[in-house]
Amino acid sequence: MSQEVEVRLPYSALGTPFRPDIPLLWNNQRFIDWAEAAGCNNVEFHGLRGAVRDILHKTPREIAAMTQIRSGHVLFNPFSSSLPETLWAVLSGKQDPIRPKEKFNPLVLAFAEGPRTSLALHKLENAKASEDFFIVVYPYKSTRRNPFGTYRKTLIQTHPEAFNDASDAQDFIADINAGRSTGMVWDTYQALGATDSGLRPLQPWEESLPKLLEAGVVKEVHIQAGRTVYIDCTIPSMTWLRNMAGTPNHNTELGKMIRMVKASNPKIPFVVEVTLDGLVAARLINKTDLLDPNLGKAKKVYRALADFIKLV
């Protein structure tokens, strides 16, 4: 019998303007309980305000006891400061230093400020020092430094589009072998993206992904489907989502990626980066379903997404 893969829910999947209570008020245990009820094995910590506040108030022993938090992600804007200043940056249409062609996205309000999130991530990695607790980071530097912070065990995430990163498979392998990071994340959407010049350094993925898997550097896979912001029209992510939870089709491009990863190393965890807004856009749920305090209908869809990954 083949080994069942690990499916992980990232906190930001439940972030939506229709439910501001989730990023602001939900603590880590609430995310953990919801993820398990949705068919996921565990969770990935993202710096939503309530989750960060919860970690900063917990002791190292209490944090270590939350064994379901298996990884972290620097998913915050390091150039957002206090909540009032961040709110003003959004309302005034201020340019986002991370994405110079874009204004601050209102979603930034769901996340705690950079210093607080970094502190929470450090508390997590210190409390879980005996584990392989990885923190996902980006290939981005500002004034020769990484504004997202430095961490003990890092996974570099593929991201040609946002950070104009032209690294190809061999570049990632060389950097990891040189000890610049512990491993890398293959993001099914970002890996197909393009730099400012239109270069898609990890395409064709049918050549890049096998190289990375053979080198043993892929430590986590992000299943990003149904994307609703910063959209690359050449990547059929909405079709991917419908083929995961609408009418399951295991032979899509996404299905082939998942199958390739599982065949190479079934211990690699899959993080379901599908948002509630994505479910609405794919017509898998309605906006009114978001008003359910427990997100019951959405939970059933996420269970179908987890099953898809496990059954491919």
Side-chain angles (χ1 to χ4, degrees), residues 65-82:
M66 293 190 293
T67 57
Q68 298 93 335
I69 303 178
R70 298 297 299 275
S71 56
H73 195 321
V74 295
L75 195 63
F76 60 87
N77 192 312
F79 299 104
S80 63
S81 51
S82 67

Side-chain angles (χ1 to χ4, degrees), residues 215-237:
V217 298
V218 178
K219 305 296 183 184
E220 185 173 294
V221 173
H222 290 178
I223 303 298
Q224 189 173 173
R227 189 173 173 88
T228 59
V229 295
Y230 308 125
I231 298 171
D232 183 334
C233 294
T234 69
I235 305 172
S237 74

Side-chain angles (χ1 to χ4, degrees), residues 13-285:
L14 303 187
T16 172
F18 297 99
R19 287 294 303 274
D21 61 303
I22 294 175
L24 295 177
L25 302 177
W26 280 29
N27 61 20
N28 291 276
Q29 192 59 52
R30 184 112 185 240
F31 281 107
I32 290 168
D33 292 343
W34 198 93
E36 291 181 338
C40 296
N41 302 92
N42 43 56
V43 299
E44 178 165 276
F45 177 90
H46 289 184
L48 298 180
R49 292 183 179 275
V52 166
R53 183 171 60 249
D54 185 40
I55 289 295
L56 295 181
H57 282 95
K58 276 184 164 45
T59 66
R61 179 174 292 183
E62 289 172 326
I63 295 171
M66 293 190 293
T67 57
Q68 298 93 335
I69 303 178
R70 298 297 299 275
S71 56
H73 195 321
V74 295
L75 195 63
F76 60 87
N77 192 312
F79 299 104
S80 63
S81 51
S82 67
L83 180 56
E85 291 178 356
T86 303
L87 179 60
W88 174 246
V90 171
L91 294 176
S92 63
K94 185 178 179 181
Q95 184 185 58
D96 185 350
I98 292 290
R99 296 174 178 269
K101 297 179 182 179
E102 305 283 349
K103 299 175 182 179
F104 270 95
N105 191 301
L107 289 173
V108 72
L109 296 170
F111 294 89
E113 288 66 48
R116 285 175 59 81
T117 304
S118 291
L119 182 57
L121 287 168
H122 283 302
K123 283 195 72 173
L124 276 161
E125 70 173 359
N126 289 336
K128 296 172 177 288
S130 61
E131 308 172 22
D132 270 340
F133 187 82
F134 298 121
I135 293 177
V136 181
V137 297
Y138 293 118
Y140 178 80
K141 290 185 178 181
S142 176
T143 62
R144 298 185 180 181
R145 69 182 184 86
N146 185 343
F148 291 97
T150 56
Y151 306 92
R152 187 179 293 114
K153 296 178 181 179
T154 59
L155 301 182
I156 191 78
Q157 178 173 322
T158 55
H159 213 321
E161 175 259 333
F163 302 109
N164 197 31
D165 178 37
S167 301
D168 61 17
Q170 285 304 133
D171 292 329
F172 279 110
I173 293 168
D175 284 350
I176 292 164
N177 287 341
R180 296 187 183 95
S181 59
T182 311
M184 70 172 290
V185 171
W186 178 272
D187 185 299
T188 59
Y189 184 94
Q190 306 296 1
L192 307 188
T195 64
D196 290 348
S197 65
L199 173 68
R200 297 181 186 270
L202 292 166
Q203 285 275 43
W205 68 265
E206 295 92 338
E207 296 178 8
S208 293
L209 183 54
K211 288 180 184 177
L212 295 166
L213 290 169
E214 184 178 353
V217 298
V218 178
K219 305 296 183 184
E220 185 173 294
V221 173
H222 290 178
I223 303 298
Q224 189 173 173
R227 189 173 173 88
T228 59
V229 295
Y230 308 125
I231 298 171
D232 183 334
C233 294
T234 69
I235 305 172
S237 74
M238 198 60 68
T239 301
W240 287 352
L241 178 53
R242 293 191 183 103
N243 285 331
M244 289 179 75
T247 303
N249 182 353
H250 294 169
N251 294 316
T252 61
E253 183 177 41
L254 182 64
K256 292 175 182 176
M257 283 190 207
I258 296 171
R259 194 153 47 241
M260 183 181 290
V261 172
K262 290 170 67 174
S264 173
N265 183 356
K267 293 184 179 181
I268 295 174
F270 291 85
V271 180
V272 191
E273 287 198 338
V274 175
T275 65
L276 292 172
D277 290 340
L279 298 188
V280 172
R283 298 181 180 178
L284 295 169
I285 62 172

